[in-house]
Amino acid sequence: MRGSPSPAPSPLAAPPVRSRATAPGAPDVDPASLPGVDPRWSRLVEAPSVDGTRRTWHVLDGAGSLEGEEPAGTVLAVHGNPTWSYLWRDVVAAGVAGDAAGRRWRVVAVDQLGMGLSDRRPRAGGGPWRLADRVADLGALVEVLRAGTDDGWPPVAGPVVALGHDWGGVVVTGWAGEHPAQVAALALTNTAVHAPAGAALPLALQVVTAPGLHALATSRTDAFVRAAAAQPRRRLPDEVRAAYRAPYRGVADRAAVEGFVADIPWRADDLSRPALDRVTAGADALGAADVPALLVWGVRDPVFGEQYLRDLRARLPRADVHRVERGGHLVPEDVDLGPLLLRWLAARGVGSGAPAAAPEPAAAPHGHRRPLWAELAARADDDGPAVVEVPEGGGAPAVLSWRELGHRVAEVALGLDAEGVRPGDRVSLLVPPGADLTTALYACLRLGAVVVVADQGLGVRGLSRAVRGAAPRHVVAVERGLVAAAALGWPGRRTAAGPLGPLGRRLAGSTLAGLAARGRRSPLAGVPAGERPTVASLRLPEPAPPDDAAVLFTSGSTGPAKGAVYTHDRLAGVRDAVAAAYEVDHGTALVAAFAPFALLGPALGAVSASPAMDVTAPASLTATALADAVAAVGATVVFASPAALAGVVATSGRLDARGRTALGGVRRLLSAGAPVPVPLLRQVAALVPGASLHTPYGMTEGLPVTDVRLADLEAAGPGGEAGGEAGGQAGAGVADGVLVGAPLDGVEVAVAPLDADGTPTDRLVRTPGTTGEVLLRAGHTKARYDQLWATEDASRLVDASGAVWHRTGDVGTLEADGRPDVGEDAAGAPASDAATGAAGGVRLRVQGRTAHLVRTAAGVVTPVGVELAAASVPAVTRAAAVGVGPAGTQALVVVVETEPPARRAGGAAPDLVAAVRRAVAGLPGAPAVAVVLVVPALPVDVRHESKVDRTLVAAWAADRLAGRPVAPPWSRTGRLRAVLGARRRR
């Protein structure tokens, strides 16, 4: 096993308790007085230095708390400038506490010479400590630690895990590169091991290196030290900020801080440039040797930006990456790094007693899948319509045939290849649904490039975060996307799609039309000169099924949007699941008003059309626009989000006879992305009387998973309805959650039961009657989250057979599927066996998110049932159920929208409070509603305009109940207050 330490005498003798001493010249700071530091960790170690003297190092050594227990291994942690070993106190504590299997780690966090509580005496010969000095001195210290000291502390044994932050990452990587045999793993946070000679320093470093400011900012004042302690995105307690400053109170104490900054080797002629080049070479060698590596990165770092992360990933190509989207430069203060590190070490099999490396997710057996571009290759001579764009206002649709689409895809693939796009390169697509997006998407897939799909529904901030995080090398965008890419600094060479104005032409490096023209001249076209290439004729190698194909971003409704990576095999699995469940094939014409399905038409072999609508506002879809799109292709299948359907119903009065006739030809309508109220489905059914209505359940990480029809919901009776409408008294018979139906063929669904505190366990249960976190396994789920190692690790449950299940974060209950075989839905349309599951199995009812459970003194309450019950009150149009207060004693608070809307946020009227309480009391367990609040509108996600942000609502409700009557932060007034408050804090 990699990194297993060599045998050492056991049991180890616990180090003796000694009186506190200080290193020569070091400030008199008692570590025991600082928050988070165990006094047993603090020790002094003497080691030879490159300047010919012996130097005294201060370290925090977790062995002081291990009580003689043999550790799984040792972590060598090195801080940067101007922090000290205090940075790693939580990592030391985590090592002492141990991982989930009880493996404890010895963490040795050093104070670099001249810093923290280590030796402060000037370097012999004068001048600052250089990078080479620091690497060599660290090596000398490690040798002493390995040899052992005569003060009772145990020697360090076996390979160590090298951990570094900031310039400490440079120093520890330099040591690791020079001593690879001693390295079990490398873990880095926000650092850089290479900078192109002459590249501009980050702005923050330009300020502190400026001739007139360098000494003033770094040593003569403590401005640089204070700025470092202010870096975490969350404000640190005052006593913690003071602890960071404690070793640097005086001018003399900060001499090494000034020297560290002066030694930054950015220019080719800097004295430490050769040492930095050796560090770079060492990192390359560690990457080539496949040393396990972990990169934990605070995204909002003003010093070490995304380019340094990209550089490290290139040098350590197999490194696991965890991006902390809301983390800053001092990322160990923004993320619980210690437990994360220990989980990663266990998963990678590092250290003694480590389990076998965790298995990768395995797709369910499915046989050979056809490539996503197979239909384009097979229908190269088909002049029938493939993609139809319906313009706003009812003009003539633009039709792209299968033959023409195949030519364009082949030409653009060849053009991208000529442009330098290589298999595995990421290409961000910022193009609305239509012919250009379809062409670019399938060209990238055929070439083997990885498409990054982050739609405008994420909003500007979310879209920017997603694109920058995915690190595309190329961007294909319409003009407004090009402007955004340039203004927001998104990475990648820019290619324009669609019409361009003067600004767009200046910003674009190429155009889709230009790429196609270049592709026609490519020697890899596989056709005689003068003929147009086809997908089948290309001489480009085809990507393999396990190669990455796409990064699809979640909606961001429960936090920053996450990128879900799909391989070619798994993306083809999505196509096959949709085809089998909803009988979509060559004879199908579909209209997609829901982004995920807008791109599947060519892969399914179906004619596809996108209606005229604003893709950033699903509710902008009108009944007329939908009818026009259906009529343009004779569509029998429609995909639309719940918000889009609400827009259709709201504008249905404008439909003319032609539009109603067109909608009457629809045979299957699907709506996904959020729960769909049954009353809305009934209204839609009236517009598409010949259609079977389905609401598939799934998520970006796996769609579709289960399916339920309107007929199933109607057959379930009161309490089985997704929308919570009940006859008679409000709330009577309302179910505790949304019925989402039975698993589709090839999909396995289970739950991880909740414990008494509402925490999902690691057990897997498939029997009806169990409530827990929903688990799923299928051949068309994501391969992994992109650059979110800890999130991916937490989302995996490995069962006794070694199969990997995806933890969805949803809470649900499995029910016996004892429904009768209804055969047809209420509209008389035939049912599809694949889409309805087998009678006598199980079906799933979803009750909320694990992050949104309300933990009251009476027990755990799931939010969805409460919200449905509240929404059954006639005056209520939407509700959010949240918990306020400490977990275990939370108050159940219901925040509602009403009709007519409330003029301002506040407490609900007594009659409304009573009605909501009665409705919720009808649920199983009779939850007690403590407070009912009203707001003009609840905050919903941008993509679906359906998912309520319960976290934001809970925070506002807590303020309200604490006597702070602030405006909701999602309201116009609340947003203005937030902006003004942020300016005042700055």
Side-chain angles (χ1 to χ4, degrees), residues 678-765:
V678 167
L680 176 60
L681 288 175
R682 291 183 182 134
Q683 292 173 300
V684 173
L687 298 175
V688 287
S692 171
L693 272 63
H694 296 253
T695 61
Y697 163 71
M699 61 284 303
T700 306
E701 297 90 339
L703 181 71
V705 174
T706 69
D707 182 89
V708 67
R709 297 168 297 166
L710 175 59
D712 302 328
L713 298 171
E714 300 281 11
E721 300 179 1
E725 181 180 87
Q729 182 181 1
V734 172
D736 190 11
V738 174
L739 179 64
V740 297
L744 300 177
D745 286 348
V747 176
E748 298 177 79
V749 174
V751 296
L754 305 177
D755 64 17
D757 297 326
T759 302
T761 64
D762 290 332
R763 293 189 298 118
L764 184 146
V765 176

Side-chain angles (χ1 to χ4, degrees), residues 300-605:
R300 303 181 184 185
D301 186 344
V303 180
F304 295 110
E306 297 277 358
Q307 68 270 32
Y308 302 109
L309 175 59
R310 290 195 293 270
D311 177 76
L312 280 166
R313 292 186 67 193
R315 299 179 191 285
L316 305 167
R318 294 180 62 83
D320 294 305
V321 180
H322 184 73
R323 294 167 55 86
V324 184
E325 292 293 341
R326 292 172 178 164
H329 175 67
L330 217 59
V331 72
E333 295 289 356
D334 288 317
V335 68
D336 206 356
L337 183 62
L340 189 162
L341 177 64
L342 267 57
R343 278 165 45 204
W344 177 77
L345 291 170
R348 291 295 167 258
V350 178
S352 64
E360 293 300 316
H366 53 71
H368 176 69
R369 294 197 196 278
R370 300 170 70 224
L372 291 158
W373 55 86
E375 286 294 324
L376 292 173
R379 300 174 74 169
D381 298 323
D382 188 341
D383 290 317
V387 177
V388 177
E389 292 182 340
V390 182
E392 193 170 358
V399 179
L400 198 64
S401 70
W402 288 99
R403 182 198 299 269
E404 180 61 23
L405 178 59
H407 285 316
R408 291 190 186 183
V409 167
E411 291 164 353
V412 172
L414 291 166
L416 288 168
D417 175 75
E419 193 83 357
V421 181
R422 295 293 174 260
D425 284 357
R426 292 187 170 187
V427 180
S428 179
L429 303 180
L430 303 173
V431 184
D436 282 344
L437 177 58
T438 303
T439 298
L441 172 72
Y442 283 89
C444 289
L445 292 173
R446 175 57 187 85
L447 178 61
V450 181
V451 295
V452 177
V453 182
D455 62 79
Q456 298 174 69
L458 295 177
V460 174
R461 181 177 299 177
L463 180 60
S464 182
R465 184 165 48 226
V467 172
R468 290 175 64 86
R473 295 189 63 182
H474 306 269
V475 175
V476 179
V478 294
E479 185 169 42
R480 63 178 178 274
L482 297 176
V483 173
L488 299 173
W490 296 345
R493 179 179 172 83
R494 296 188 286 268
T495 296
L500 295 174
L503 180 58
R505 285 192 290 271
R506 285 199 301 271
L507 294 175
S510 59
T511 65
L512 281 183
L515 291 181
R518 193 171 180 182
R520 285 192 289 273
R521 301 189 298 271
S522 171
L524 301 176
V527 294
E531 293 187 15
R532 299 181 70 184
T534 67
V535 172
S537 75
L538 297 181
R539 293 177 181 170
L540 296 169
E542 292 192 354
D547 291 345
D548 289 352
V551 182
L552 310 179
F553 278 86
T554 62
S555 67
S557 58
T558 56
K562 300 182 289 290
V565 178
Y566 277 80
T567 61
H568 281 267
D569 185 62
R570 290 175 178 270
L571 202 56
V574 175
R575 173 203 60 198
D576 295 347
V578 171
Y582 304 111
E583 300 174 351
V584 180
D585 54 25
H586 290 213
T588 304
L590 63 88
V591 169
F594 183 50
F597 292 110
L599 304 175
L600 281 178
L604 290 162

Side-chain angles (χ1 to χ4, degrees), residues 611-629:
M613 62 181 294
D614 180 355
V615 295
T616 67
S620 66
L621 179 64
T622 66
T624 299
L626 179 62
D628 287 345

Side-chain angles (χ1 to χ4, degrees), residues 21 36 59 198 201 258 327 422 433 450 456 513 523 545 648 656 666-667 726 736 786 939 949:
V59 302
L201 272 170
E258 178 183 348
R422 295 293 174 260
V450 181
Q456 298 174 69
V648 168
D656 56 19
V666 175
R667 291 293 173 262
D736 190 11
D786 184 44
D949 187 338

